[in-house]
Amino acid sequence: MTVHHVTVTTDTPGFTAVIQVGDSESGPFHNVSDPQAVGGQTTFDLHDAHGRYYVVWITNLGSLSSAHVNNVSAS
């Protein structure tokens, strides 16, 4: 199955994340989305996302001290 979109839901909006993919649970992983500021619910468009394991990689917490990823869905 090829994944085209990943939707992230959070109760701590304001951080930046990117979606990564890899074939092993220990990596290596590579970016398959552009970085995005995450709101309450944010959908990432994926580019050439072929792999078994997907990671929501938080790249910047912004003004937050921590971030919650409450739900992740793929389509």
Side-chain angles (χ1 to χ4, degrees):
M1 177 177 121
T2 300
V3 176
H4 298 285
H5 309 282
V6 168
T7 301
V8 175
T9 305
T10 182
D11 61 359
T12 57
F15 60 91
T16 302
V18 65
I19 306 301
Q20 298 184 334
V21 68
D23 290 320
S24 169
E25 65 185 34
S26 60
F29 296 96
H30 64 277
N31 292 355
V32 291
S33 78
D34 295 327
Q36 283 187 234
V38 178
Q41 185 173 20
T42 302
T43 298
F44 292 81
D45 294 326
L46 306 186
H47 317 288
D48 195 32
H50 304 285
R52 181 172 179 181
Y53 297 93
Y54 289 78
V55 174
V56 177
W57 188 260
I58 298 171
T59 60
N60 188 322
L61 285 173
S63 63
L64 302 170
S65 60
S66 65
H68 304 155
V69 175
N70 301 104
N71 189 60
V72 177
S73 61
S75 60

